[in-house]
Amino acid sequence: CISTTPKEENSQAIVLALFLADESLKKGRLIYKTDFEVGVNAKFDFPITPFYPGIEKDKLFVIAGIHGFAIDAFDRKGEKLYTIKKEFPKLKIPASYKDKTLEWFKKSPSWKQVFEFLKNRISFKDYYPPINIMIVDQGKIYVITNRMKDEEQRECMVMDLKGKEIKTVYLPIPEQYGMDYAFLFTIFDNYFYKLVENIDEDSWELYRSEI
């Protein structure tokens, strides 16, 4: 389960963390502590470092984003089995990313009312985290990175469960800004599915392509 924990021992700052939980969602062993602060005094450092988990064949896979390109594999008891770690070039964040993130907060129906209060708590990393998101499905890990071929095509590294690279493809996943982390895509059985809003026809369209 995703819950909260102190950022450091005796620290007042609170961050999100991933815990093992029983069937009643009682929090157990700490699996991974993020750097994403929550609470009234939280600071927001963009882009957010990912930590999304995935489960496959009795293993839990977690993006250990604070350690760079790293994915930790755990067994059912929360014991770490191994880490998939790779060298990845530093990708500098452009000034346009900062401008568009601030613009997102100014226009967001949910956030614009508190932008003046939050703006001094928003900061930016110098470089993107290597991993954007990870999907684990049917014996493969699909690692979607922050390397872009153009404004719409994002790198996806396909690996086995030990981290051996099978191939690399590019998928139509554009940049996201602010707290806009609703992923309108998924990967299942080696197919990429994406939900696209057709504003002209006031409808949603589902696209599918083989990876």
Side-chain angles (χ1 to χ4, degrees):
C1 70
I2 296 175
S3 186
T4 58
T5 192
K7 188 173 185 177
E8 298 172 357
E9 189 175 354
N10 300 321
S11 171
Q12 292 186 346
I14 302 297
V15 295
L16 289 180
L18 186 67
F19 293 84
L20 281 188
D22 61 19
E23 62 275 8
S24 62
L25 297 182
K26 182 180 179 181
K27 200 163 62 175
R29 172 180 287 190
L30 173 66
I31 295 294
Y32 178 70
K33 184 190 296 187
T34 78
D35 62 357
F36 184 81
E37 296 186 11
V38 295
V40 294
N41 296 316
K43 298 177 182 178
F44 303 100
D45 192 26
F46 291 100
I48 294 172
T49 306
F51 64 97
Y52 311 102
I55 297 175
E56 178 75 4
K57 296 183 178 179
D58 292 332
K59 291 187 179 69
L60 172 68
F61 295 89
V62 180
I63 302 174
I66 59 175
H67 302 300
F69 193 116
I71 300 169
D72 289 334
F74 299 87
D75 65 15
R76 298 181 67 176
K77 296 181 179 179
E79 297 287 348
K80 187 187 292 188
L81 300 172
Y82 55 87
T83 297
I84 298 169
K85 196 166 179 63
K86 295 186 179 295
E87 295 295 325
F88 196 85
K90 287 187 174 182
L91 304 175
K92 192 169 181 61
I93 294 173
S96 60
Y97 175 88
K98 302 175 184 179
D99 295 339
K100 289 179 181 179
T101 296
L102 295 176
E103 190 67 19
W104 183 91
F105 275 99
K106 292 177 184 177
K107 292 182 177 180
S108 167
S110 302
W111 292 85
K112 63 183 180 181
Q113 302 299 329
V114 294
F115 175 71
E116 289 300 317
F117 173 74
L118 289 177
K119 65 181 181 181
N120 293 327
R121 298 185 182 184
I122 296 173
S123 61
F124 296 92
K125 298 177 172 69
D126 293 326
Y127 300 93
Y128 285 100
I131 299 175
N132 181 273
I133 191 173
M134 169 192 72
I135 295 174
V136 185
D137 179 65
Q138 300 192 40
K140 293 178 182 178
I141 304 175
Y142 299 85
V143 182
I144 298 163
T145 77
N146 277 308
R147 182 153 48 192
M148 306 286 289
K149 186 162 62 175
D150 53 43
E151 291 185 357
E152 295 292 327
Q153 297 293 315
R154 186 180 295 272
E155 181 185 54
C156 174
M157 301 170 66
V158 185
M159 305 176 180
D160 66 16
L161 297 183
K162 289 287 189 178
K164 180 181 178 181
E165 293 184 40
I166 300 171
K167 63 180 175 179
T168 296
V169 298
Y170 282 83
L171 301 174
I173 304 172
E175 184 66 276
Q176 291 172 291
Y177 302 98
M179 305 299 282
D180 183 17
Y181 283 90
F183 294 101
L184 300 180
F185 64 87
T186 190
I187 294 172
F188 176 72
D189 196 20
N190 212 45
Y191 279 87
F192 174 77
Y193 296 86
K194 182 179 180 182
L195 198 59
V196 179
E197 184 178 12
N198 187 326
I199 297 177
D200 294 335
E201 298 184 9
D202 192 24
S203 64
W204 288 91
E205 300 170 346
L206 180 64
Y207 289 86
R208 185 182 86 151
S209 59
E210 188 172 10
I211 295 177

